């Protein structure tokens, strides 16, 4: 859940600041980009060098660097962030947050933040229980600021009770859970196919195509990023998923059909981006065919149309998306496929468009829905194309 997330980590003046080092390490290890902003008091407990080394980014403490006059722009920092975590949040920092005081860079970033903000209190028992602190916490909750509850245990004063900052592992898990709660496809089952199929001629030769699987893998990753439980059925491909995805590897069209039939019924949406062979050898030789004749013929038979098969059993509320890679009569052919196979959406590619098609990092698509509403997109990176496709699928799911 933290993969690719941009996180501003605020560190205020508390003995618990030593835990921030492990927190930074956990967030970075989970794939997040972490920008640390410290108060001046926090530097007495842990050095900026430590947190800079772990985050692989410079740590910001002051509004500007006196030696160069360079400004640490608090607005840019706030806009950059997908979320902001203040850990540890001392009683003093919590009071400033609740009352809009802005006497350091951290508070300037906080007051400029439009992203979700969370704070992990860290202080002694009596400070935490004090009416003023509790009123400030209530006020922050009313602002929509999320609290990561302090734990109970031995405190720096020697007292035992509530007030110690949550452990770094607990904070990282808390943030991951919060992200999951807000994802639009949380818990939805999505089926995606990708890559080519290889139809065997003999033990060493096959009929195939040039599909790399890049588009399908990008779509699967985007769905996973949006919280879906993704099953990816892939033909032979060197691509790897960035997220935790159930991957089923197949080789032939028959194997892909079998896998799709096994998983389609439970899927809320299915995006069939695989380039499945239309024909397969009628007879597969059990030994390597030797080169003897000047001419060699292979009898082919049609493969089962996976997309049409799924379209025939699609239930109400289920979204089925197909792809059409065309060289001529592009829109006419795509619409024919959309209607004959009972699809909700067809993604049209044309090999006449430079930068589109197999083996490229870019794609240019046109989306056509059941009402024959057509949306043309410019040439984009396939990751960006995946965002557009998934956005449209969500719209159809919510319609």
């Amino acid at each position: 859940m933290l993969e690719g997330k941009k996180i501003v980590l605020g560190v205020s003046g508390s003995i618990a600041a030593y835990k921030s080092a492990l927190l930074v390490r956990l967030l970075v290890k989970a794939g997040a980009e972490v920008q640390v902003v410290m108060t001046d008091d926090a530097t007495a407990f842990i050095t900026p060098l430590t947190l800079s080394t772990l985050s692989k980014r410079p740590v910001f403490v002051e509004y500007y660097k006196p030696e160069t006059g360079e400004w640490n722009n608090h607005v840019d920092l706030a806009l950059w962030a997908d979320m902001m975590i203040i850990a540890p949040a001392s009683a003093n920092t919590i009071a400033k947050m609740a009352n809009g005081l802005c006497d350091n860079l951290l508070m300037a970033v906080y007051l400029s933040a439009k992203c979700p903000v969370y704070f992990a209190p860290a202080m002694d028992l009596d400070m935490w229980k004090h009416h003023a602190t509790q009123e400030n916490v209530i006020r922050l909750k009313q602002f929509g600021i999320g609290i990561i509850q302090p734990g109970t245990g031995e405190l720096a004063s020697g007292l035992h009770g509530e007030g110690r900052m949550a452990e770094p592992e607990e904070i990282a898990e808390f943030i991951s859970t919060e992200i999951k709660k807000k994802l639009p496809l949380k818990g939805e089952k999505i089926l995606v196919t990708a890559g080519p199929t290889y139809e065997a001629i003999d033990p060493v030769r096959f009929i195939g195509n040039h599909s790399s699987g890049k588009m399908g893998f990008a779509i699967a990753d985007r769905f996973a990023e949006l919280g879906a439980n993704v099953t990816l059925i892939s033909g032979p491909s060197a691509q790897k998923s960035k997220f935790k995805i159930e991957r089923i590897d197949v080789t032939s069209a028959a194997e892909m059909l079998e896998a799709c039939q096994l998983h389609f019924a439970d899927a809320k949406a299915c995006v069939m981006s695989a380039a499945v062979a239309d024909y397969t050898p009628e007879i597969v030789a059990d030994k390597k065919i030797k080169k003897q004749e000047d001419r060699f013929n292979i009898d082919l038979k049609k493969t089962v149309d996976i997309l049409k098969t799924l379209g025939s059993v699609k239930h109400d509320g289920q979204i089925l998306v197909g792809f059409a890679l065309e060289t001529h009569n592009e829109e006419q052919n795509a619409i024919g496929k959309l209607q004959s196979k009972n699809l909700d959406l067809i993604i049209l590619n044309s090999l006449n468009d430079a930068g589109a098609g197999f083996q490229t990092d870019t794609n240019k698509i046109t989306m056509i829905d059941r009402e024959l509403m057509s949306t043309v997109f410019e040439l984009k990176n396939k990751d960006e194309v995946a965002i557009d496709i998934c956005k449209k699928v969500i719209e159809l799911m919510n319609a």
Side-chain angles (χ1 to χ4, degrees):
M1 286 299 102
L2 293 169
E3 179 77 36
K5 291 291 183 291
K6 297 180 177 67
I7 300 174
V8 167
L9 176 63
V11 182
S12 66
S14 164
I15 186 64
Y18 77 91
K19 294 183 179 180
S20 299
L22 179 54
L23 179 57
V24 170
R25 186 173 181 81
L26 288 173
L27 296 176
V28 170
K29 190 175 180 180
E33 296 180 56
V34 181
Q35 176 59 64
V36 178
V37 180
M38 303 177 71
T39 65
D40 188 55
D41 286 344
T43 63
F45 295 95
I46 187 169
T47 67
L49 177 60
T50 298
L51 298 180
S52 176
T53 302
L54 294 172
S55 67
K56 300 178 177 62
R57 302 176 70 95
V59 169
F60 299 127
V61 180
E62 305 294 343
Y63 284 105
Y64 67 96
K65 299 175 183 178
E67 63 275 13
T68 63
E70 185 180 351
W71 179 34
N72 294 324
N73 191 321
H74 59 281
V75 175
D76 285 349
L77 283 170
L79 292 176
W80 171 83
D82 294 318
M83 70 181 67
M84 183 176 186
I85 308 168
I86 301 178
S90 64
N92 184 46
T93 291
I94 291 173
K96 291 178 182 179
M97 292 170 67
N99 292 281
L101 299 181
C102 186
D103 62 351
N104 59 45
L105 178 62
L106 176 57
M107 287 301 97
V109 175
Y110 158 71
L111 289 174
S112 302
K114 291 181 172 61
C115 61
V117 179
Y118 304 91
F119 69 106
M123 63 199 75
D124 212 78
L125 173 64
D126 295 330
M127 297 172 70
W128 173 245
K129 293 295 185 183
H130 197 282
H131 293 301
T133 301
Q134 290 304 308
E135 286 294 327
N136 287 332
V137 169
I138 291 171
R139 195 169 189 189
L140 288 178
K141 288 180 180 179
Q142 292 172 342
F143 292 165
I145 308 302
I147 181 172
I148 305 170
Q149 285 293 143
T152 300
E154 186 176 353
L155 304 169
S157 64
L159 296 175
H160 190 280
E162 192 176 15
R164 61 187 292 164
M165 187 177 98
E167 296 304 315
E169 295 86 353
E170 295 171 336
I171 295 174
E173 181 61 30
F174 177 92
I175 296 300
S176 293
T177 301
E178 286 295 298
I179 293 172
K180 288 179 185 177
K181 287 179 184 177
K182 298 173 182 177
L183 293 174
L185 293 178
K186 178 180 180 293
E188 296 285 9
K189 293 184 178 180
I190 306 291
L191 179 64
V192 180
T193 65
T197 64
Y198 290 172
E199 308 302 318
I201 297 171
D202 62 21
V204 298
R205 301 181 181 91
F206 61 85
I207 299 171
N209 57 63
H210 296 297
S211 174
S212 65
K214 289 180 181 179
M215 190 71 258
F217 275 74
I219 292 169
D221 280 343
R222 179 57 182 168
F223 275 128
E225 190 177 15
L226 294 170
N229 296 326
V230 180
T231 298
L232 173 64
I233 301 172
S234 176
S237 173
Q239 302 301 309
K240 295 186 182 298
S241 296
K242 301 174 186 175
F243 295 87
K244 186 178 180 181
I245 287 174
E246 180 187 8
R247 176 173 172 175
I248 300 170
D249 289 310
V250 298
T251 301
S252 67
E255 291 172 349
M256 185 166 285
L257 171 65
E258 183 180 358
C260 286
Q261 289 177 316
L262 187 62
H263 293 275
F264 180 66
D266 295 332
K268 179 68 175 177
C270 176
V271 180
M272 302 288 289
S273 68
V276 183
D278 295 320
Y279 292 89
T280 189
E282 197 166 84
I283 298 174
V284 178
D286 57 0
K287 296 179 181 178
K288 180 183 176 182
I289 299 171
K290 304 302 290 182
K291 184 171 66 175
Q292 295 174 343
E293 310 293 337
D294 292 336
R295 294 181 180 275
F296 178 70
N297 296 317
I298 301 175
D299 291 326
L300 301 177
K301 62 181 179 179
K302 269 189 177 181
T303 58
V304 176
D305 191 322
I306 300 175
L307 201 51
K308 190 170 185 176
T309 300
L310 299 182
S312 68
V313 297
K314 179 167 69 75
H315 56 72
D316 289 343
Q318 197 172 26
I319 304 302
L320 181 59
V321 181
F323 275 66
L325 178 62
E326 303 293 341
T327 59
H328 62 284
N329 297 331
E330 289 98 335
E331 190 164 324
Q332 180 182 342
N333 289 334
I335 291 173
K337 190 172 185 179
L338 171 76
Q339 295 174 331
S340 66
K341 301 185 181 184
N342 192 25
L343 307 183
D344 299 281
L345 185 70
I346 190 85
I347 311 297
L348 170 61
N349 305 121
S350 173
L351 283 181
N352 295 316
D353 292 324
F358 294 147
Q359 301 287 343
T360 65
D361 292 326
T362 56
N363 204 353
K364 187 178 187 302
I365 66 168
T366 299
M367 294 188 197
I368 308 173
D369 63 22
R370 291 180 75 93
E371 284 69 44
L372 303 187
M373 293 294 293
S374 179
T375 307
V376 180
F377 294 82
E378 63 185 16
L379 185 70
K380 295 183 180 182
N381 181 281
K382 284 183 175 176
D383 288 336
E384 295 174 315
V385 174
I387 292 173
D388 292 331
I389 292 172
C390 292
K391 182 180 178 181
K392 181 63 177 180
V393 171
I394 292 172
E395 288 177 8
L396 294 174
M397 290 170 65
N398 294 334

